[in-house]
């Protein structure tokens, strides 16, 4: 397989930076575009061409495609905070749907033929059953999920009309950090359980909240499918390789392990890793949280040669914790 350079949009962000590492580890040349609205320049490895700017800047994207001889795109750039999407829906449709339209248009014009797109379990809304299959109803309950679903549809229509194929990878709960600590989650003010919990573990917060203890689940707290960011990044590389091998096929795949863990189970694992209990506080339910979100990953496992190496919550929280300790050492994050 000829390895033409891959443009990673949002490559200075959490998942994008791990994808850059995974691509390079697999021998792919990489370039990154990121507007640094939520990313950090220093997680982009030395030697990777970096372009600061928006994927909606057509002149910039055209120039990158041409000068870097881009053959494919891993598209992570976008806005990702669900409650913010409710307050600022037009911003979400602009940053997610319209910007993806600009990127896809530029790709078609430049004959860039493969796009791996960062989608989300939020496209399903409140699922009628778990584990969720890809064909299950898509009824997003917030603008974030809707903006991603619209982009999926746009890619499907564009792929039917142009020499282009795509993979939409629907992420469940992404956590952890690169096992070699080359990257991790940096952003301040994260609301995600594992990030918040490790911040509490290193003393950046005085406790971790447990939102809702009266759900109809095994211990009353919400159940989620937590996937290690390095395994998720690896799925992007194998999805890209499949798109190149089979240019007429598209992929829509859930990305999770197919295993649900409750909030309390996650926190118990963290306590074990830390060696002492991290202070918890029981709080009322957070609006909009479905009781249980677990992926069926049958399609992912059957379609791609994906061999997750970190499908274990203790490893996920251990890597997240180690990264958080390093951030503390650098007084960042
Ligand atoms: N959660 C929690 N405390 C926190 C953050 C999250 O109890 O500080 C719960 C949240 O209510 C949900 C689960 O942990 O049930 C996962 O939430 P997260 O925000 O990490 O991801 P989401 O599933 O909302 O995308």
């Amino acid at each position: 397989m000829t390895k033409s350079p891959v443009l990673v949009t949002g490559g200075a962000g959490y998942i994008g930076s791990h994808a850059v590492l995974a691509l390079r580890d697999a021998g792919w040349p990489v370039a990154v575009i990121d507007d640094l609205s939520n990313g950090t320049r220093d997680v982009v490895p030395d030697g990777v061409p970096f372009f600061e700017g928006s994927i909606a800047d057509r002149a910039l994207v055209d120039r990158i495609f041409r000068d870097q001889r881009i053959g494919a795109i891993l598209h992570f750039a976008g806005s990702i905070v669900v409650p913010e999407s409710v307050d600022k829906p037009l911003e979400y449709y602009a940053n997610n749907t319209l910007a993806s339209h600009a990127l896809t248009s530029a790709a078609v014009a430049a004959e860039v033929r493969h796009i791996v797109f960062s989608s989300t379990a939020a496209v399903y809304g409140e699922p009628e059953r778990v584990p969720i299959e890809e064909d299950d109803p898509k009824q997003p309950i917030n603008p974030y999920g809707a903006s991603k679903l619209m982009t999926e549809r746009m890619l499907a229509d564009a792929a039917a009309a142009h020499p282009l194929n795509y993979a939409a990878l629907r992420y469940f709960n992404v956590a952890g950090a690169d096992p070699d600590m080359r990257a991790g989650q940096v952003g301040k003010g994260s609301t995600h359980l594992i990030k918040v919990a490790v911040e509490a573990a290193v003393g950046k917060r005085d406790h971790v909240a447990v939102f809702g203890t009266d759900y109809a689940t095994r211990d009353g707290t919400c159940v989620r499918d937590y996937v290690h960011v390095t395994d998720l990044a690896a799925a992007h590389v194998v999805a890209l390789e499949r798109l190149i091998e089979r240019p007429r096929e598209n992929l829509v795949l859930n990305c999770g392990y197919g295993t649900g863990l409750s909030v309390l189970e996650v926190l118990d694992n963290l306590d074990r890793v830390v060696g002492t209990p991290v202070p918890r506080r029981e709080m009322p339910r957070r609006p909009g949280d479905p009781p249980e979100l677990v992926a069926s990953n049958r399609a992912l496992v059957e379609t791609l040669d994906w061999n997750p190496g970190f499908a274990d919550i203790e490893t996920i929280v251990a890597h997240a914790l180690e990264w958080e300790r390093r951030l503390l050492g650098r007084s960042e994050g």
Side-chain angles (χ1 to χ4, degrees):
M1 186 183 294
T2 319
K3 291 187 168 170
S4 302
V6 179
L7 180 64
V8 180
T9 78
Y14 174 42
I15 304 173
S17 61
H18 289 81
V20 168
L21 297 175
L23 284 165
R24 278 164 54 96
D25 291 348
W28 289 90
V30 177
V32 167
I33 179 169
D34 197 301
D35 67 3
L36 298 182
S37 57
N38 199 30
T40 33
R41 176 74 177 85
D42 41 304
V43 291
V44 179
D46 289 342
V48 171
F50 177 79
F51 302 90
E52 183 175 344
S54 165
I55 56 165
D57 180 344
R58 182 66 188 267
L60 173 62
V61 171
D62 285 347
R63 179 163 62 79
I64 297 170
F65 283 164
R66 193 182 57 239
D67 293 354
Q68 301 295 318
R69 302 175 177 278
I70 297 298
I73 303 166
L74 261 53
H75 175 29
F76 298 92
S79 301
I80 56 161
V81 182
V82 170
E84 187 183 57
S85 80
V86 176
D87 294 338
K88 301 176 181 170
L90 298 176
E91 207 171 281
Y92 272 66
Y93 290 112
N95 290 347
N96 292 347
T97 316
L98 298 181
S100 297
H101 173 271
L103 181 74
T104 308
S105 304
V108 168
E111 299 183 350
V112 175
R113 297 189 190 283
H114 315 285
I115 300 180
V116 180
F117 172 57
S118 164
S119 190
T120 168
V123 299
Y124 297 110
E126 304 214 5
E128 285 161 17
R129 57 169 192 175
V130 290
I132 305 170
E133 303 265 351
E134 287 81 354
D135 288 340
D136 285 354
K138 264 72 67 191
Q139 285 156 343
I141 54 169
N142 49 60
Y144 169 66
S147 70
K148 289 284 186 174
L149 186 59
M150 289 165 82
T151 304
E152 284 195 19
R153 175 63 197 256
M154 184 169 63
L155 286 169
D157 291 340
H162 301 291
L164 170 83
N165 67 345
Y166 77 100
L169 301 186
R170 296 180 180 153
Y171 313 156
F172 282 65
N173 289 61
V174 187
D178 175 52
D180 298 325
M181 295 295 125
R182 296 170 295 174
Q185 195 170 354
V186 178
K188 288 190 174 73
S190 173
T191 58
H192 290 125
L193 175 66
I194 292 179
K195 178 73 175 170
V196 168
V198 296
E199 286 177 355
V202 303
K204 285 186 188 170
R205 298 174 186 254
D206 57 13
H207 70 277
V208 51
V210 177
F211 292 132
T213 52
D214 57 350
Y215 288 95
T217 57
R218 51 184 173 266
D219 62 18
T221 63
C222 288
V223 169
R224 295 289 183 272
D225 187 341
Y226 295 90
V227 57
H228 193 295
V229 64
T230 297
D231 284 337
L232 181 67
H236 289 74
V237 178
V238 286
L240 171 67
E241 291 172 351
R242 172 88 174 197
L243 292 181
I244 295 168
E245 274 163 19
R246 301 189 185 209
R248 289 177 195 284
E249 265 182 34
N250 302 307
L251 301 167
V252 177
L253 298 170
N254 288 339
C255 291
Y257 296 133
T259 309
L261 288 165
S262 73
V263 172
L264 296 182
E265 287 163 346
V266 170
L267 296 180
D268 288 347
N269 273 281
L270 177 63
D271 288 353
R272 256 196 298 283
V273 171
V274 175
T276 54
V278 175
R280 308 172 182 179
R281 196 174 295 168
E282 289 190 7
M283 304 282 278
R285 291 183 179 198
R286 195 172 69 173
D289 276 341
E292 190 166 358
L293 286 176
V294 177
S296 161
N297 67 4
R298 193 178 46 81
L300 173 67
V301 170
E302 284 176 7
T303 316
L304 300 182
D305 187 16
W306 184 60
N307 300 301
F310 307 101
D312 158 54
I313 191 64
E314 204 166 308
T315 306
I316 294 174
V317 294
H319 288 160
L321 179 66
E322 189 181 344
W323 175 257
E324 203 58 46
R325 286 185 170 142
R326 293 198 183 206
L327 286 182
L328 195 67
R330 288 168 19 192
S331 15
E332 283 176 25

